[in-house]
Amino acid sequence: MAVTAALGLWQLDRAAQKRNLQASIDERAALPAWSEADVLRMADPDAGLHRAVRLSGEWVPNATLFLDNRQMEGRPGFYVITPLRLAGSTQAVLVQRGWVPRDFEDRSRVPEVVTPEGGVGVEGRLAPPPGKLYELGKAGAGLIRQNVDLEALTQEWGVPLLALSVVQTGDADDGLRREWPVVAAGVQKHHGYAFQWFGLCALAGFLYVWFQFISPRRKRSLHVSDT
């Protein structure tokens, strides 16, 4: 009982931490959007995560990649990513532009994605780099990849990349879908775990009372009635 109760309390404490994290995410999302100058001045990339941005720059030519095995609303396909060289700087930020379905008849084929030349504006929110999936062997090359490594891409493209990414949310005439999942800290998950641990605690208490008190008394009562 002590162990399960302690685990239940630990999950409640984790839920409280996640509530604070969710409050921080919501607070940052409600702040005015940053420009490229604000992003470049940011000393700690984590300090700006989930902040809305409105950036100006140019797409790095011939640098669009397709991240494989990514889903949107339960459908498999690609995340399309392209680095955006920020206006007035040599640095770029990796933009998760949207999602496209893949061609299951020809898995090596990628869809055509409109990538305008010249100056563009991108609206979105700051996020960590795209999450990594399990990958056998070395990281792949070519247009279709399972994962990306910012340091490796910096060497490959010859463009210094910031240690974060931008999830694009604004409208753009490129045919990409942007029904991104809502950013959530997962508070409900910890509440569910806490309920399970407290349930086991209550079960252990009930079994203790049953086998130590109720069951022996019933046996004694039956023995007395038989005699």
Side-chain angles (χ1 to χ4, degrees), residues 108-149:
S108 63
R109 181 181 179 184
V110 296
E112 294 185 5
V113 176
V114 177
T115 304
E117 297 180 357
V120 295
V122 173
E123 294 182 9
R125 57 178 171 80
L126 294 177
K132 292 190 174 183
L133 304 180
Y134 182 73
E135 185 174 17
L136 294 173
K138 296 182 180 179
L143 295 178
I144 300 177
R145 307 195 186 187
Q146 185 83 346
N147 298 301
V148 296
D149 183 284

Side-chain angles (χ1 to χ4, degrees), residues 24 37 72 78 83 128 131 143 154 166 186 196 204 208 218:
S24 176
M72 185 162 287
F78 300 109
L143 295 178
T154 294
V166 171
Q196 293 176 7
Y208 176 80
R218 292 185 64 190

Side-chain angles (χ1 to χ4, degrees), residues 2 37 41 51 85 92 135 148 214:
R41 283 196 300 266
R51 183 80 181 245
R85 183 181 284 107
E135 185 174 17
V148 296
I214 299 177

Side-chain angles (χ1 to χ4, degrees), residues 131-222:
K132 292 190 174 183
L133 304 180
Y134 182 73
E135 185 174 17
L136 294 173
K138 296 182 180 179
L143 295 178
I144 300 177
R145 307 195 186 187
Q146 185 83 346
N147 298 301
V148 296
D149 183 284
L150 295 184
E151 293 184 3
L153 290 180
T154 294
Q155 297 296 324
E156 180 178 343
W157 291 330
V159 178
L161 294 171
L162 299 178
L164 41 71
S165 71
V166 171
V167 175
Q168 187 173 357
T169 56
D171 295 331
D173 188 17
D174 52 18
L176 301 177
R177 297 185 58 184
R178 299 187 178 89
E179 291 81 17
W180 303 106
V182 177
V183 179
V187 177
Q188 293 78 5
K189 176 182 66 175
H190 292 288
H191 283 157
Y193 290 155
F195 177 80
Q196 293 176 7
W197 285 120
F198 288 137
L200 289 174
C201 179
L203 177 61
F206 171 77
L207 292 176
Y208 176 80
V209 172
W210 176 266
F211 286 109
Q212 294 296 323
F213 300 101
I214 299 177
S215 183
R217 288 184 180 180
R218 292 185 64 190
K219 291 180 180 179
R220 286 196 296 268
S221 299
L222 291 174

Side-chain angles (χ1 to χ4, degrees), residues 1-17 190 193-195 197-198:
M1 289 180 64
V3 170
T4 53
L7 289 171
L9 292 173
W10 176 68
Q11 289 294 339
L12 289 181
D13 181 65
R14 290 286 294 156
Q17 296 176 27
H190 292 288
Y193 290 155
F195 177 80
W197 285 120
F198 288 137

